[in-house]
Amino acid sequence: MKQMKRTHLLVLGVYLLSSCRAEEGLNFPIYDGKDRVVSLSEKNFKQILKKYDLLCLYYHEPVSSDKVAQKQFQLKEIVLELVAQVLEHKDIGFVMVDAKKEAKLAKKLDYKAFEEAAEHFQPYIKFFATFDKGVAKKFSLKINEVDFYEPFMDEPTAIPNKPYSEEELVEFVKEHQRPTLRRLRPQDMFETWEDDLNGIHIVAFAERSDPDGYEFLEILKQVARDNTNNPDLSIVWIDPDDFPLLVAYWEKTFKIDLFKPQIGVVNVTDADSVWMEISDDDDLPTAEELEDWIEDVLSGKINTEDDDNEDEDDD
């Protein structure tokens, strides 16, 4: 990986030199002797990052005392200085990072941190990277920034304290990986169901293809967006169309009609459940009514144990 970066950087320098020769005739750029390439360290990193629109990094191993090796390194430095001189007016900076001397910084800047962090969560959480400036601009991504997208939210959360290490990325994702509203999918249904909150799940059934189901889902999204900072709230949305073979089982187990939207609290241990009363007319609960019902669930005012007590009284 590092070797590829070195090669690309040097090729860039040769390309720029040849371009200048072709376009400007005999006006071949000559190094003016001014030092522009900076040795990057943890101490000056943030200052350098703010100074340039684009920063090109050159990783290198410690230079040995061998005269040939030192001469080769000096030639590389001159090429980098000349490229930095040519591109100075475009606010593009060039820095060198000693992989041993600045090992901690080099590790943070290495793009492998993102790749290795992604491996911790595959295939359940998807990681995407772009090297296209237009795509980055569309998503308002800054250089070396990682944004975290929660399902059904309007805006992403920029992960703070860049540059990141693998450990920092993993820690952030683990802390935020449980969405306020998440869709139950066949490929990870067991993992989702095992990720309960205090032994319960708030479950909503809604068919996206059905007008009432679509409207109910939009209400759920609004509630989730309004309560996205509540760590105790996570609603599992199930589209019955995704699980045709389980519809009859769920209707029998939960004693509900899945031909209309439903929301309830389910005990993951014994599948006991309590469901919000939704009238059979065309009026679905408002976001405010849904929030009030959810607050009663989270406070314990509505719980599946009450249902057990009623059954005992009937006996």
Side-chain angles (χ1 to χ4, degrees), residues 109-162:
L109 294 176
D110 194 342
Y111 193 81
K112 286 184 179 179
F114 183 80
E115 298 174 5
E116 292 172 355
E119 293 176 1
H120 287 263
F121 304 98
Q122 296 302 308
Y124 308 117
I125 299 177
K126 297 188 181 299
F127 284 61
F128 299 95
T130 180
F131 300 93
D132 186 290
K133 193 173 182 180
V135 173
K137 185 177 181 180
K138 183 177 181 180
F139 285 93
S140 301
L141 268 175
K142 298 178 181 178
I143 187 169
N144 293 330
E145 179 179 277
V146 178
D147 284 357
F148 183 83
Y149 283 80
E150 181 180 343
F152 307 111
M153 296 296 121
D154 292 327
E155 297 293 334
T157 300
I159 299 181
N161 303 322
K162 66 177 184 179

Side-chain angles (χ1 to χ4, degrees), residues 76-88:
K76 293 174 183 178
E77 279 189 298
I78 292 175
V79 172
L80 288 174
E81 288 287 3
L82 190 53
V83 176
Q85 176 182 321
V86 172
L87 295 176
E88 185 176 28

Side-chain angles (χ1 to χ4, degrees), residues 166-315:
E166 175 190 348
E167 292 77 16
E168 289 169 335
L169 289 173
V170 169
E171 181 181 354
F172 183 91
V173 175
K174 282 185 175 179
E175 184 180 344
H176 297 82
Q177 67 180 347
R178 182 188 291 124
T180 311
L181 176 62
R182 47 184 165 168
R183 182 176 187 171
L184 191 70
R185 304 179 302 175
Q187 62 264 39
D188 57 8
M189 60 182 295
F190 296 107
E191 288 77 9
T192 300
W193 197 252
E194 289 172 358
D195 184 33
D196 58 87
L197 280 165
N198 302 317
I200 65 169
H201 275 302
I202 296 177
V203 178
F205 287 96
E207 290 184 35
R208 179 177 262 170
S209 59
D210 174 74
D212 284 343
Y214 179 84
E215 182 181 348
F216 191 63
L217 179 58
E218 291 302 307
I219 297 171
L220 289 172
K221 290 179 184 178
Q222 181 181 340
V223 171
R225 289 167 185 149
D226 292 342
N227 295 273
T228 187
N229 294 321
N230 185 347
D232 296 323
L233 178 60
S234 184
I235 304 169
V236 177
W237 163 47
I238 302 176
D239 190 330
D241 287 343
D242 293 336
F243 304 91
L245 299 180
L246 289 175
V247 171
Y249 169 79
W250 282 329
E251 288 185 324
K252 181 180 179 181
T253 302
F254 299 139
K255 300 178 178 63
I256 55 175
D257 178 9
L258 292 185
F259 282 98
K260 66 177 185 179
Q262 302 280 0
I263 186 168
V265 54
V266 178
N267 187 309
V268 298
T269 304
D270 55 17
D272 275 357
S273 60
V274 178
W275 299 85
M276 183 180 187
E277 292 186 10
I278 300 178
S279 58
D280 292 329
D281 57 27
D282 294 334
D283 293 330
L284 292 170
T286 64
E288 291 75 17
E289 292 171 335
L290 211 53
E291 284 190 24
D292 290 341
W293 185 88
I294 290 172
E295 286 179 9
D296 287 343
V297 171
L298 297 180
S299 68
K301 186 175 180 180
I302 296 175
N303 64 78
T304 58
E305 300 304 318
D306 290 341
D307 188 50
D308 289 341
N309 294 334
E310 290 177 7
D311 291 340
E312 291 175 5
D313 292 339
D314 292 340
D315 295 338

